[in-house]
Amino acid sequence: STDRRQIAFRTGPRSIGLMPAGGALDIRWLPHLTNSGWLSLDPTGRTLWVSTADPDALGRMDLASESVVSQTVGGLIRPNLSPNGKWLLQSSENRHRVIDAASGKELLDVSSSNSGGMAILGAWSPDSGLMVVVTGRGDLGVYNTADWRRLLTLTDPSFAPLTWMGFEPTGRVLA
């Protein structure tokens, strides 16, 4: 969680654990979603988003009741919750979708072309004011979350494959 009090982790396709950060090894094993994949814990530590490979779904689990609140079939992989907990970025190799985490309403749908399989990368600025996604081979799209307009495109002329990206804590540098 962004308050750094809880850690969600996966040890296998069917095992999801939740533990307090900072030392105590008090692991709480959660009911699983079939073939769980990427995890994203909301800032309050009350909701866990889980992507599943079977049948390519996205589940939202209420951690107090340990029950699946909703499950959307046909979701994209790798849920990435904004630091403020308002938006969920879902990505695949050729598409990014931003949805409102509370309502499930789609806010933005971005196609990614010729990404070389790297489109699953996305990053939020620490204040959730910017979102950056791979939009093409060597291209990153920078979006303003106030109105979801694309502010600019960053291009790497070498077309070097990206393996990870993220903002440093002040939000002034994307690495």
Side-chain angles (χ1 to χ4, degrees), residues 154-170:
L154 304 172
T155 301
D156 178 1
S158 72
F159 299 111
L162 293 169
T163 55
W164 202 256
M165 69 176 156
F167 282 89
E168 54 89 31
T170 67

Side-chain angles (χ1 to χ4, degrees), residues 88-100:
L88 185 73
L89 170 64
Q90 293 177 274
S91 301
S92 71
E93 289 186 12
N94 60 5
R95 183 175 168 209
H96 302 282
R97 182 173 66 179
V98 178
I99 62 170
D100 181 284

Side-chain angles (χ1 to χ4, degrees), residues 2-174:
T2 55
D3 64 6
R4 299 175 193 248
R5 293 177 20 182
Q6 293 190 83
I7 299 169
F9 61 95
R10 184 176 68 95
T11 61
R14 299 183 186 274
S15 302
I16 299 173
L18 189 68
M19 64 183 272
L25 194 58
D26 181 21
I27 298 173
R28 187 172 98 192
W29 295 101
L30 303 173
H32 66 275
L33 297 169
T34 306
N35 293 325
S36 61
W38 293 92
L39 307 174
S40 191
L41 189 61
D42 85 333
T44 66
R46 290 185 226 139
T47 304
L48 181 68
W49 293 88
V50 182
S51 68
T52 65
D54 185 25
D56 187 27
L58 179 71
R60 184 168 59 100
M61 182 180 287
D62 175 65
L63 294 178
S65 65
E66 295 187 356
S67 62
V68 177
V69 176
S70 64
Q71 190 164 354
T72 307
V73 176
L76 304 175
I77 62 171
R78 198 180 186 280
N80 183 350
L81 198 63
S82 62
N84 65 9
K86 290 183 180 181
W87 308 297
L88 185 73
L89 170 64
Q90 293 177 274
S91 301
S92 71
E93 289 186 12
N94 60 5
R95 183 175 168 209
H96 302 282
R97 182 173 66 179
V98 178
I99 62 170
D100 181 284
S103 70
K105 178 183 172 189
E106 186 175 288
L107 303 172
L108 180 70
D109 193 334
V110 178
S111 293
S112 177
S113 61
N114 195 23
S115 64
M118 295 296 141
I120 60 171
L121 297 174
W124 298 97
S125 63
D127 67 356
S128 301
L130 297 174
M131 180 194 69
V132 180
V133 293
V134 175
T135 57
R137 191 158 183 83
D139 291 341
L140 299 175
V142 181
Y143 292 83
N144 179 344
T145 62
D147 56 12
W148 299 106
R149 282 184 318 117
R150 189 173 186 159
L151 297 175
L152 63 116
T153 299
L154 304 172
T155 301
D156 178 1
S158 72
F159 299 111
L162 293 169
T163 55
W164 202 256
M165 69 176 156
F167 282 89
E168 54 89 31
T170 67
R172 295 173 53 127
V173 176
L174 177 69

